[in-house]
Amino acid sequence: MTDKRNRWIINVVLILAVVAFVGFSLIPLIDAAFKGNQSQTAASPTPTQSASAVPKKEELEAQAKGYELVLQREPENPTALRGLLEAKLGLGDVKGAIAPLEKLAKLNPNETEYAVLLAQAKQQTNDPEGAAQTYRDILKTKPGDRNALQGLTNLLLQQKRPEAAVGLLQDTIKTAPQVNKIQAGSVDVVSVQVILGQVYASQKRFDEAIAVFDEATKGNKQDFRPVLGKALILKEQGKTDAAKPLFASAAELAPAQFKDQIKQLANASSPGASVPAPTATPGAAPSPTPSSAPARTP
């Protein structure tokens, strides 16, 4: 198992990378919530920590060289691989992070965070085909992996292939009963429906998005994400009176760390206003995401 200190960097990068690629500006909070359970293990610096606690460029470079020397002797040393990955990400060297990620993904096939991060690194280094193949490789063995589904969906949207994204998610929902019979809980249908609703919303197909969110709510009445998704769409359409009780319901259902954000969304200005995407869920560590990471403007 990956230790907590090294796992936080994977989780935080995943959170931020997903938010960076979301195509619909009014549903960023759903994506943060989608990853919220992962961020619980993230280490958060306390206010008393000084700037000197953050590794400097020279320190990171020295760390990277040290880990590379270890890997020359022990190519599969997991501690050195994770250390090199952390140093490369801290330096913003996305290309340099690919090699340790490839080895970590191979050594830890059951920890798909490494493979998802590898796909995102390939995407950021102008290898969308490699990224897509990496996502699909994950989905072959874990068809309900939410990180891979979200990542591949975002990639398809970036490539202007919304129908391919819709097809991917619809097929996942369609085959979920059979997959879950083989291994219970493999596909969280509500989570996939939430992603599908986002895709429809990104294409301004609001009626279809609302229908999917309604279906997701039927599947799990305690899940705030589809309720929030519908509320945001209604507000975007100018139906503020219809949206208000849904915002209230979503806030009541949501975990504590999202309640304030939901209230802010409900009280935001006129329909169509862009709501800034949260960079991390409460308690998450500061981002080591490379500054070269592409960002979409809604």
Side-chain angles (χ1 to χ4, degrees):
M1 293 291 294
T2 307
D3 59 40
K4 289 184 178 180
R5 180 179 178 278
N6 287 293
R7 179 176 286 277
W8 75 261
I9 194 169
I10 304 298
N11 291 336
V12 173
V13 173
L14 287 172
I15 294 168
L16 297 177
V18 168
V19 171
F21 293 121
V22 169
F24 184 47
S25 65
L26 289 181
I27 317 187
L29 186 58
I30 296 177
D31 298 291
F34 194 58
K35 304 297 178 187
N37 63 319
Q38 295 179 348
S39 68
Q40 298 305 311
T41 59
S44 178
T46 62
T48 58
Q49 285 181 319
S50 65
S52 61
V54 180
K56 297 180 181 179
K57 180 180 178 181
E58 294 78 9
E59 294 173 350
L60 290 170
E61 289 175 342
Q63 289 174 12
K65 289 180 181 178
Y67 289 125
E68 286 169 347
L69 289 173
V70 174
L71 291 169
Q72 288 178 11
R73 301 189 304 269
E74 305 173 53
E76 295 185 349
N77 184 305
T79 301
L81 287 169
R82 290 195 296 267
L84 180 59
L85 170 61
E86 185 171 347
K88 291 293 185 181
L89 290 174
L91 289 166
D93 183 3
V94 182
K95 187 175 181 180
I98 289 177
L101 276 171
E102 287 177 334
K103 289 185 179 179
L104 285 166
K106 184 177 180 180
L107 291 171
N108 301 277
N110 292 323
E111 294 185 30
T112 57
E113 296 96 333
Y114 290 120
V116 170
L117 188 52
L118 173 61
Q120 291 169 346
K122 288 183 177 181
Q123 187 171 347
Q124 292 182 29
T125 53
N126 298 315
D127 183 13
E129 292 183 4
Q133 187 58 53
T134 301
Y135 285 129
R136 294 189 188 282
D137 288 342
I138 298 170
L139 295 173
K140 285 179 183 177
T141 56
K142 296 190 175 184
D145 188 283
R146 291 177 293 183
N147 292 329
L149 282 170
Q150 182 78 72
L152 182 54
T153 296
N154 292 333
L155 175 59
L156 291 171
L157 289 177
Q158 279 198 318
Q159 296 176 324
K160 310 297 184 184
R161 299 175 59 196
E163 292 305 321
V166 168
L168 167 70
L169 298 168
Q170 287 180 334
D171 288 346
T172 302
I173 294 169
K174 183 178 179 180
T175 58
Q178 181 180 354
V179 172
N180 286 337
K181 281 184 180 179
I182 299 172
Q183 185 174 356
S186 294
V187 179
D188 181 346
V189 174
V190 172
S191 291
V192 181
Q193 289 171 323
V194 168
I195 304 175
L196 179 58
Q198 290 176 278
V199 174
Y200 284 139
S202 73
Q203 304 303 304
K204 307 297 182 183
R205 294 162 63 174
F206 295 133
D207 289 345
E208 290 168 282
I210 288 175
V212 171
F213 285 135
D214 283 342
E215 190 66 25
T217 299
K218 291 178 184 178
N220 185 351
K221 296 184 182 298
Q222 301 305 310
D223 195 323
F224 80 98
R225 296 171 299 168
V227 180
L228 176 60
K230 182 176 180 179
L232 290 166
I233 289 175
L234 290 175
K235 186 174 182 180
E236 170 74 358
Q237 293 177 312
K239 302 175 182 178
T240 54
D241 289 341
K244 285 181 181 178
L246 293 176
F247 277 119
S249 178
E252 182 178 352
L253 292 170
Q257 65 265 37
F258 299 117
K259 292 182 184 295
D260 287 341
Q261 290 173 285
I262 292 172
K263 292 176 182 178
Q264 290 172 7
L265 289 172
N267 296 326
S269 56
S270 61
S274 176
V275 179
T279 55
T281 54
S287 167
T289 304
S291 59
S292 59
R296 286 179 64 91
T297 53

